[in-house]
Amino acid sequence: MKEVHVTLYVLHEFCTAVHAGQKEKLWREFFSDPSQWWDNRSEKVNAKYPDFKHKMTQKALWLDDRQTPPWVEAELAVMAPGTIQLTIFSWNRRLARYVKLGQYEKAMELFHQMQQEGISPNKFTFVPVLNTCAKLQLLEEGRLVHQQIIQSRCEFDVFVGSSLVDMYTKCGSMEEAQRVFHSMPSRDVVSWTAMILGHVKCGEGQKALELFQQMQQEGVEPNSVTFLGVLNACATVVALDEGRHVHELIIRSNLESDLFVANSLINMYTKCESMDDAWRVFKKMQTRDVISWTAMILGHVKCGEGKKALEVFQQMQQEGVDPDPITFVGVLNACASIAALEEGRGIEELIIQCGCESRVFVSCSLVDLYIKCGSMEDAWRVFNKMPIRNVVSWTAMILGHVKCGQGQEALKLFQQMQQEGVEPNAVTFVGVLNACASVVALEEGRCVERQIIQSGCESNVFVCNSLIDMYGKCGSMGDAWRVFKKMPTHNVVSWTAMILGLVKCGEWQEALELFRQMQQQGVEPDPITFVGVLSACASVRKLQEGRHIEEQIVKYGHDSSVVVGSSLVDMYTRCGSMVDAWRVFHKMSTHDVVSWTAMILGHVKCDQPQKALELFEQMQQEGVKPNPVTFVGVLNACTSVVALEEGRRVHEQVIQSSCESNVFVVSSLIDMYAKCGSMEDAWRVFNKVHSHNLVSWTAMLRGLAMHGHGKEALVHFERMCQEGVDLDDITFVCLLSACSHAGLVDEGLCFFDSMGLVYNVSATLEHYACMVDLLGRAGHLREAEDFINIMCCEPSASVWKTLLNACRIHGYVEMGERIAKQVLKLDPPNAAGYVPLPNIHAAATNGN
């Protein structure tokens, strides 16, 4: 015991001597005769310091070991065993110093060195070592330290126990943390707080709140750090009422003025989207730092109030508070949310002034801002300047190109990202799959799926949903079903993606059946689900089923959704029920371009083109701008009533709306001008388009055929072939019709024969009808009848009627009577087959 007292007193005298400048003299006196040195001082020390051991222990922990001369360390190594206690204090205070300075790697090296020299650690060693393990996420090292703690019988010390709990929670091992926590004989606020913070870190906010309640029941008073953890838990699970209760406890504990607590309160209220509460706390704060202001900015961004967030940022600057990188991220997100491009460029200048442009996450937010504002040029400028490009920045660029409709560029960027050794994450895969879907790149999509499996992301529900969506849009429902069936769980997005895929692939009945299965599984449909199902109903003309779905829409509270309302209108118009369509349309609080367009198309379909044109005018009066589909519907209405001047006015609006390059609009314009008798206007529209696809080529071909310009139609067809256009069945219907109107029999027969042999297009009933018309007009009625008899499909009444009309023109009475009977047999309710008979007799009489 004497040696220990001597050692401790040495420490005390050493500390005193340091300030008196007698350090080396004191040590030399001690080493020359330690016993005599102690005898001269023991009585005085015992009288003056009754709790000497405790005080000297504390002093040893903060003593700066850099003041110890090297020769002292050498002397200590050969001292009596009692002096070893001095050595452990020396090690401990070094450990404490390294941890305090954040030099955790050095702390671990020192601990290992201490063990190599055979120094047995004590509880004052274990606490800083466990803190080091927690900071460096050294779980295995922490477990070894735990074993040493057990061997040293320190596991029941409350400080060591709390440090163990803290280490395990910060290393993400909540199971081990709970085991230590429950084995502790007494638990102080530190151990409870460590457990609460651990659950918050692991995303288990609800468990953290339950633990806080249990802590209060056991009579342990929370401190400021506890409140920080609990408020974060409330924010995580959006528990506003619990957060308000914690706020009351904070007020009772007189901690509301604590800056860190106040900032956590603001953070909790903003994440719970209660900006009024957040402002109340903010205004009561005596001091506000950058974190306080940033929390308010982020809160307004989260609540969709980008303009307000920018106002708060401006006020923050006026008060002289310098923004930090997180502030800039929030402000850039605010600019992005309201497409404030110029303000965003101004923020970029501030970022450069503050030296934050090299921070990767700030640059990523800049890239995201420019993408959302539609400025890919600025996005590329920032991206190319980034010294380090991580997966977030690459992913932002990929998503940007997808958003701008540049799927092919997004896929190239994905390939370049991999070449630079950056591993994609789940969000990257979602973006790349969307790119594949947008350009219908099925094989590339399958390749991406293989990479997803290799990266271990195949169980991610968002990735799986994107895979289903991609396969559906690429028309590969077999692959979509394979992914869907492998998923452990399906959410509403999974089911909806499958339904939309089936609708796109024309499997409408299957889509409706899957919707029923989804409901049987207890999955509640969302607005997009209803859009898909209503489209399926419209495609198969299931009016009653559509009405039943409308009842479900009302039941789930989606009847106020504009997109659902527009889909309902579209379904009813396509099913021919304009009464229902008008009923839904009138109930809608707001009408978007889709709902107006659906009504216009419905009236066109129901042969009410004038009503469609009136609706178009009314839509414009209400300030709704037409889209390409609207123009297609209105141009079809003009075509139906042969309203050439009205069509020209619509054409002017098409140009003003920058829709003149849309192939469907171009085709409708060509069709309208051709059917209104103005081939000159039709050619002008066609020639203004730099790049044509099959639709626009075929529209022009149809116009030429309609006006009997057979030779021009054949020249036009040759140009199509030279341009490498993939021909379809409609192209040949137009071509054969042109031959028919121009009397080009040999050419027509040649084109018919080449359909399957050269162009791989199967002949349909419509093609045979064109050939019968071609032969009949040219007077080859026997050949026309033979043509009908060798058809690969059953001839319809309309085909026989075509031949019957040819009999009338050429006066073939006997054949006409025979064919009229055939028409009556196939279409008994329609007596139109008999109408041409008197005309046939008259034609024959005149001919004789």
Side-chain angles (χ1 to χ4, degrees), residues 459-532:
S459 60
N460 183 290
V461 68
F462 300 104
V463 173
C464 289
N465 290 341
S466 295
L467 271 169
I468 293 169
D469 178 68
M470 180 272 294
Y471 282 129
K473 287 177 178 172
C474 290
S476 180
M477 287 311 296
D479 284 309
W481 274 114
R482 174 177 53 76
V483 174
F484 184 78
K485 288 174 181 176
K486 279 172 65 179
M487 290 176 70
T489 56
H490 306 113
N491 60 12
V492 63
V493 180
S494 322
W495 288 95
T496 302
M498 284 299 299
I499 289 167
L500 292 173
L502 290 168
V503 170
K504 187 180 186 302
C505 293
E507 299 176 30
W508 304 299
Q509 203 59 54
E510 291 81 356
L512 294 174
E513 178 58 36
L514 194 65
F515 177 64
R516 284 188 283 271
Q517 287 180 33
M518 169 184 168
Q519 291 180 296
Q520 288 167 3
Q521 294 286 330
V523 180
E524 185 176 317
D526 65 10
I528 307 302
T529 318
F530 283 120
V531 169

Side-chain angles (χ1 to χ4, degrees), residues 692-695 697-698 719-727:
H692 292 284
N693 69 353
L694 177 62
V695 179
W697 281 103
T698 303
R719 281 181 62 196
M720 286 178 72
C721 295
Q722 288 167 8
E723 293 285 337
V725 180
D726 289 327
L727 309 178

Side-chain angles (χ1 to χ4, degrees), residues 189-317:
V189 65
V190 178
S191 50
W192 282 99
T193 301
M195 285 300 295
I196 289 168
L197 292 172
H199 283 297
V200 172
K201 183 177 182 289
C202 294
E204 299 170 345
Q206 199 57 51
K207 284 187 179 179
L209 293 178
E210 290 168 8
L211 205 62
F212 178 63
Q213 190 176 10
Q214 187 182 342
M215 167 186 165
Q216 290 177 292
Q217 289 167 356
E218 295 198 12
V220 180
E221 289 292 326
N223 61 20
S224 59
V225 183
T226 318
F227 284 127
L228 296 183
V230 176
L231 288 170
N232 283 340
C234 293
T236 303
V237 296
V238 196
L240 180 59
D241 290 335
E242 289 84 342
R244 284 176 175 150
H245 173 65
V246 174
H247 190 173
E248 291 172 8
L249 294 175
I250 288 167
I251 293 169
R252 283 186 226 152
S253 303
N254 294 319
L255 289 169
E256 195 179 19
S257 60
D258 183 289
L259 181 61
F260 299 104
V261 173
N263 285 342
S264 292
L265 274 168
I266 293 172
N267 177 63
M268 181 274 294
Y269 281 130
T270 57
K271 287 186 177 171
C272 291
E273 298 189 17
S274 179
M275 290 307 296
D276 289 340
D277 285 310
W279 272 109
R280 203 156 33 243
V281 175
F282 185 78
K283 288 175 180 177
K284 284 175 69 177
M285 292 173 70
Q286 295 174 347
T287 307
R288 303 176 190 123
D289 63 1
V290 65
I291 298 171
S292 324
W293 288 96
T294 302
M296 292 302 297
I297 290 167
L298 293 172
H300 282 296
V301 172
K302 188 177 189 299
C303 294
E305 299 169 350
K307 190 175 180 182
K308 182 67 177 173
L310 292 179
E311 290 172 6
V312 175
F313 178 64
Q314 190 176 9
Q315 187 182 347
M316 168 185 167
Q317 290 178 292

Side-chain angles (χ1 to χ4, degrees), residues 637-667:
C638 294
T639 302
S640 299
V641 293
V642 196
L644 180 60
E645 290 308 313
E646 185 73 30
R648 283 177 175 150
R649 281 194 292 274
V650 174
H651 189 177
E652 289 174 9
Q653 290 179 277
V654 166
I655 295 169
Q656 290 167 9
S657 303
S658 302
C659 292
E660 70 270 25
S661 60
N662 183 284
V663 290
F664 299 103
V665 175
V666 167
S667 302

Side-chain angles (χ1 to χ4, degrees), residues 559-737:
D559 48 323
S560 61
S561 167
V562 176
V563 67
V564 173
S566 299
S567 296
L568 269 171
V569 169
D570 177 66
M571 183 272 295
Y572 282 129
T573 57
R574 287 168 68 187
C575 289
S577 179
M578 290 306 295
V579 174
D580 282 310
W582 272 110
R583 174 178 55 76
V584 174
F585 187 78
H586 285 311
K587 278 173 62 180
M588 293 175 68
S589 55
T590 55
H591 303 116
D592 63 356
V593 65
V594 179
S595 51
W596 282 103
T597 301
M599 291 300 294
I600 290 167
L601 292 172
H603 283 292
V604 171
K605 184 178 181 295
C606 294
D607 294 325
Q608 298 172 344
Q610 200 59 51
K611 182 66 178 173
L613 293 175
E614 290 170 10
L615 266 176
F616 179 61
E617 188 176 352
Q618 186 182 344
M619 164 186 161
Q620 291 176 295
Q621 288 170 355
E622 294 200 12
V624 180
K625 292 183 179 180
N627 64 16
V629 183
T630 319
F631 285 126
V632 169
V634 175
L635 289 168
N636 286 343
C638 294
T639 302
S640 299
V641 293
V642 196
L644 180 60
E645 290 308 313
E646 185 73 30
R648 283 177 175 150
R649 281 194 292 274
V650 174
H651 189 177
E652 289 174 9
Q653 290 179 277
V654 166
I655 295 169
Q656 290 167 9
S657 303
S658 302
C659 292
E660 70 270 25
S661 60
N662 183 284
V663 290
F664 299 103
V665 175
V666 167
S667 302
S668 295
L669 278 167
I670 293 169
D671 197 51
M672 182 272 294
Y673 281 128
K675 287 180 179 176
C676 289
S678 180
M679 284 303 296
E680 185 180 347
D681 283 314
W683 272 115
R684 188 161 52 248
V685 171
F686 183 82
N687 290 329
K688 278 181 70 177
V689 179
H690 299 295
S691 179
H692 292 284
N693 69 353
L694 177 62
V695 179
S696 54
W697 281 103
T698 303
M700 199 64 216
L701 187 62
R702 186 188 299 110
L704 292 168
M706 192 187 308
H707 286 270
H709 301 320
K711 294 291 184 182
E712 289 182 53
L714 297 187
V715 172
H716 188 73
F717 178 74
E718 287 299 322
R719 281 181 62 196
M720 286 178 72
C721 295
Q722 288 167 8
E723 293 285 337
V725 180
D726 289 327
L727 309 178
D728 65 0
D729 56 332
I730 298 172
T731 311
F732 281 99
V733 168
C734 297
L735 184 63
L736 294 174
S737 178

Side-chain angles (χ1 to χ4, degrees), residues 375-446:
S375 179
M376 287 304 295
E377 185 180 348
D378 281 310
W380 271 108
R381 175 176 54 76
V382 174
F383 183 76
N384 288 330
K385 280 169 62 179
M386 292 174 69
I388 300 171
R389 295 187 289 220
N390 62 5
V391 64
V392 179
S393 50
W394 283 99
T395 301
M397 290 300 294
I398 289 167
L399 292 172
H401 282 295
V402 173
K403 183 178 180 287
C404 294
Q406 301 169 347
Q408 206 60 54
E409 286 77 3
L411 293 177
K412 289 177 185 174
L413 205 59
F414 177 62
Q415 190 176 9
Q416 186 184 343
M417 165 187 163
Q418 292 176 295
Q419 287 168 354
E420 294 199 12
V422 180
E423 290 292 326
N425 62 17
V427 183
T428 319
F429 286 127
V430 168
V432 175
L433 290 169
N434 287 343
C436 293
S438 68
V439 295
V440 196
L442 179 58
E443 289 310 313
E444 288 86 342
R446 284 176 175 151

Side-chain angles (χ1 to χ4, degrees), residues 795-842:
S796 65
S798 63
V799 174
W800 288 109
K801 285 178 187 178
T802 302
L803 185 55
L804 182 60
N805 191 51
C807 291
R808 177 188 64 77
I809 293 168
H810 296 286
Y812 276 55
V813 178
E814 184 182 343
M815 180 183 286
E817 289 177 344
R818 179 161 39 82
I819 291 169
K821 292 176 182 177
Q822 188 69 25
V823 171
L824 181 62
K825 180 181 175 183
L826 290 173
D827 192 13
N830 193 346
Y834 290 106
V835 175
L837 285 178
N839 295 335
I840 294 172
H841 286 288

